[in-house]
Amino acid sequence: MTTGFVDADRADVTVVVVTYRSGAGVADLLDSLRDESRLLALHVVVVDNDSTDDTVDVVRTFPDVELIDAGGNTGYAAAVNRGTARAEAASAVLILNPDAVVAPGCVGALLAALREPGVVAVVPSLIDASGTVSHSLRREPRLVATAVDAAVGHHLPHRPRWSSETIRDSLAYSISHDIEWATGAAVMIDAAVARATGPWDEGFFLYSEETDYFRRLRRLGRVRFVPEAVVTHLGGGSGTSQHLQDLLTVNRIRYAEKHHGRAWAALFRGLVVTSELARSYSPRHRATLRVVLDRARWERLPRAQRRALTPGAGSGTVVIPAHDEAAVLATTLAPLSELARTGTIEVIVACNGCTDGTADIARSVPGITVVDTGAASKTGALNAADGTALFWPRMYLDADIVVTPRAVLDVLAALRGGGGDVGDVLAARPPFVYDTRHASFLVRRFYAARSRVPDFSRHLWGAGCYALGEVGHRRLGRFPDVVADDVVVDGLFAATEKTVVDTDPVVVAVPRTVRALVAVLSRSLRGNAAVPRTTDARSSLATLARSVRGPVSAVDAAVYVALATAGRVAARRDRGWVRDETNRG
């Protein structure tokens, strides 16, 4: 196999490297991985946590490495989650610190061990720059071991196993065996298991996130130490400071409180206090002791920092009202997740009266804000989201509509700077296309005819997606309690104040059956009846008649008229709001 890294869809292993001011060592790591790529297809992802040195420039000298800007210093766990999400086809994910270098054959040895029955993750042997084996293996925190560590610290290294969290027995580093956890400088995880385990807990920011993640891995299988796989770890990648020392200590307490009862966690915290008190002759330990004793100080410890949205391309808010949309919401959020995670845009899912897993799905996507209201009201959800949103312009997107990142950025950019001057665009939407692949013959003919009527492509309604600048939204005020919010918005603006942006179209899934289509037309007509007409029906029919150019278009027009008429008849008979379920499979 030729040396070089591959794209995500061709990888055996996706390697995730989180960098933060790592310019001094990351090139050595990438060089060592390139040597490993002679025998394995490696996809290498570097997620940079807002480095202020030359890290990004160094990584860019490796053109086949995928570089992701985290959008700020988001923390180790959040960056790992960003990188792991790129493991699309790989069978394993290898997470490495940037100050590490893999020895020849390391990745292959880890992958071979990972394929053993029941093994879900593997860790290599870590050595320092002098070749000395590091004590990287750990036991799950226990009260007795914590008490002994508090009493003797790093003294008495050759003490019984039960009396320390760190494994120091040299035999343990010479043979392959199952472990509880290891320092997170290097770990390979089965990709399917990683998806089943879920994301790393971003609440830890730094420290204890690997303890937490290994604990969750062990519920699914065995974690194995592989001594023949060797990684040189220089250490110091996170730097040292008083704040980081405080965070390390506090996160151990947070871990105890997350996984144990109140009494156990209180005893653990007491032992930590005892340890810091016994070493309070040191100014650093006195400072940590003050933090441990005062929970108010915990909120001032290092935490995720995202770069603020700027007036640059793409900044704004996307609002998604959602009522029991668990079947489709993940598909809608997928193309928006990268923009949300990087802070390029704000994404708010406004759950209203949900009784399924809609809110849980939204919360599982990093960067998404969830507003949850009890009443099943779309306009109520839109108003609630407006009360939370921070940025302009704002795009309002139905939960079953798929929009590309480019379309979002282009539409928001078209509205930025619209201050209400003559000629300014105050409202916009992307173009749309109908997805009729799964629809019946008559439904396809209906939408073929509809696509030929220009009136249906000039307005803000019909796409399940529109956007308003701040001035345009001021004209609207609050969303009124109507079904056809897009029709209301469209009627507020003259033709010169709204536009369809030349960008990627959104995909509108149509009803699959005639019965479902008639129900949708009925609902639409009843909703439109509450607001002024935006188009004249006779004018649309005249335009439709002029679109007839042969037998096929004539059949399309006839089908359109017949089904539209059926919808009008149903609108006089039907009551209530009905959602089309045929396009959600």
Side-chain angles (χ1 to χ4, degrees):
M1 181 180 294
T2 56
T3 304
F5 304 131
V6 301
D7 294 335
D9 59 353
R10 297 191 293 122
D12 298 319
V13 178
T14 290
V15 183
V16 177
V17 181
V18 177
T19 55
Y20 177 68
R21 300 177 185 174
S22 310
V26 69
D28 292 335
L29 169 61
L30 296 177
D31 283 333
S32 68
L33 288 170
R34 193 176 296 286
D35 290 339
E36 292 293 271
S37 70
R38 297 176 187 273
L39 298 175
L40 287 169
L42 302 183
H43 171 226
V44 179
V45 182
V46 173
V47 184
D48 185 69
N49 261 332
D50 213 21
S51 293
T52 55
D53 62 356
D54 62 344
T55 299
V56 170
D57 292 333
V58 171
V59 174
R60 283 176 175 159
T61 64
F62 295 80
D64 49 358
V65 169
E66 181 179 356
L67 175 63
I68 297 176
D69 178 2
N73 188 1
T74 61
Y76 185 76
V80 167
N81 290 336
R82 291 283 309 282
T84 302
R86 299 294 297 127
E88 299 170 359
S91 61
V93 180
L94 174 59
I95 299 169
L96 291 169
N97 275 15
D99 53 355
V101 175
V102 298
C106 172
V107 179
L110 290 173
L111 190 59
L114 187 63
R115 289 170 175 163
E116 295 178 12
V119 174
V120 297
V122 290
V123 298
S125 176
L126 299 184
I127 62 174
D128 61 21
S130 68
T132 302
V133 175
S134 301
H135 293 153
S136 59
L137 304 183
R138 298 288 190 271
R139 299 182 182 90
E140 185 72 13
R142 295 173 175 86
L143 291 177
V144 172
T146 302
V148 175
D149 280 341
V152 302
H154 295 294
H155 303 290
L156 303 177
H158 302 293
R159 56 183 187 261
R161 294 182 180 182
W162 52 264
S163 64
S164 177
E165 292 179 16
T166 301
I167 297 176
R168 296 181 172 85
D169 185 355
S170 59
L171 180 62
Y173 293 90
S174 63
I175 59 172
S176 179
H177 63 285
D178 292 350
I179 63 169
E180 294 187 355
W181 68 281
T183 55
V187 55
M188 179 181 284
I189 309 156
D190 180 276
V193 171
R195 288 188 288 271
T197 304
W200 292 51
D201 188 341
E202 298 179 15
F204 286 110
F205 182 69
L206 189 67
Y207 307 124
S208 291
E209 71 282 306
E210 74 267 53
T211 320
D212 175 80
Y213 193 74
F214 275 102
R215 184 187 184 101
R216 290 156 56 203
L217 282 174
R218 293 197 305 273
R219 296 171 183 167
L220 301 179
R222 297 183 292 133
V223 179
R224 195 84 173 156
F225 173 64
V226 186
E228 58 269 27
V230 178
V231 170
T232 300
H233 183 219
L234 300 178
S238 302
T240 57
S241 70
Q242 182 64 55
H243 285 315
L244 291 180
Q245 176 63 36
D246 297 343
L247 182 65
L248 185 152
T249 306
V250 165
N251 274 357
R252 295 185 69 221
I253 299 171
R254 286 170 168 160
Y255 175 83
E257 292 176 344
K258 176 179 179 179
H259 293 290
H260 296 280
R262 290 185 179 181
W264 199 101
L267 283 171
F268 186 88
R269 184 184 182 195
L271 291 171
V272 172
V273 168
T274 301
S275 176
E276 297 302 323
L277 188 62
R279 294 159 182 79
S280 59
Y281 54 82
S282 163
R284 296 193 65 178
H285 284 283
R286 285 200 302 274
T288 299
L289 178 62
R290 286 193 291 270
V291 172
V292 171
L293 290 173
D294 183 3
R295 282 185 178 268
R297 296 174 183 257
W298 294 16
E299 299 303 316
R300 299 194 289 270
L301 292 173
R303 60 176 58 203
Q305 300 291 330
R306 296 187 182 276
R307 290 194 296 272
L309 296 181
T310 67
S315 59
T317 297
V318 174
V319 173
I320 305 174
H323 171 67
D324 287 349
E325 300 286 2
V328 295
L329 185 61
T331 301
T332 301
L333 292 180
L336 302 177
S337 60
E338 195 74 6
L339 296 177
R341 287 175 180 173
T342 59
T344 305
I345 61 172
E346 177 185 42
V347 178
I348 300 175
V349 175
C351 299
N352 57 104
C354 292
T355 58
D356 62 358
T358 298
D360 292 336
I361 291 171
R363 291 190 179 100
S364 71
V365 181
I368 301 294
T369 299
V370 177
V371 175
D372 205 343
T373 63
S377 166
K378 179 182 179 181
T379 53
L382 293 173
N383 288 324
D386 273 337
T388 301
L390 300 174
F391 305 105
W392 298 99
R394 291 178 189 168
M395 175 180 284
Y396 300 92
L397 177 69
D398 286 354
D400 58 348
I401 299 296
V402 177
V403 60
T404 69
R406 178 191 170 194
V408 172
L409 300 182
D410 286 349
V411 171
L412 295 178
L415 293 171
R416 196 169 302 111
D421 295 334
V422 175
D424 281 349
V425 174
L426 305 181
R429 68 163 172 84
F432 65 86
V433 294
Y434 294 121
D435 180 5
T436 61
R437 291 172 299 169
H438 305 293
S440 68
F441 173 79
L442 293 178
V443 172
R444 292 200 303 272
R445 301 280 45 93
F446 175 91
Y447 283 101
R450 184 168 181 151
S451 298
R452 298 190 186 103
V453 180
D455 278 342
F456 292 128
S457 60
R458 293 172 180 164
H459 296 276
L460 297 178
W461 43 263
C465 172
Y466 59 86
L468 297 172
E470 186 172 10
V471 173
H473 196 285
R474 203 175 298 147
R475 188 178 297 180
L476 167 70
R478 289 178 60 82
F479 285 91
D481 187 17
V482 297
V483 173
D485 59 283
D486 51 356
V487 177
V488 170
V489 171
D490 181 77
L492 296 174
F493 303 100
T496 56
E497 296 176 314
K498 57 191 175 186
T499 188
V500 176
V501 178
D502 183 16
T503 185
D504 297 339
V506 299
V507 179
V508 178
V510 306
R512 297 184 180 184
T513 67
V514 168
R515 178 182 297 226
L517 174 58
V518 170
V520 168
L521 292 173
S522 169
R523 182 190 72 194
S524 177
L525 288 166
R526 283 182 282 117
N528 293 349
V531 298
R533 290 182 183 270
T534 57
T535 61
D536 182 83
R538 289 172 295 180
S539 173
S540 297
L541 286 174
T543 304
L544 180 64
R546 289 194 296 271
S547 72
V548 175
R549 292 292 185 269
V552 173
S553 56
V555 170
D556 293 347
V559 170
Y560 180 89
V561 172
L563 293 181
T565 301
R568 289 184 179 278
V569 172
R572 290 194 290 267
R573 180 187 67 240
D574 295 341
R575 294 291 183 270
W577 185 87
V578 179
R579 176 164 62 193
D580 172 34
E581 300 289 349
T582 65
N583 60 16
R584 293 171 173 262

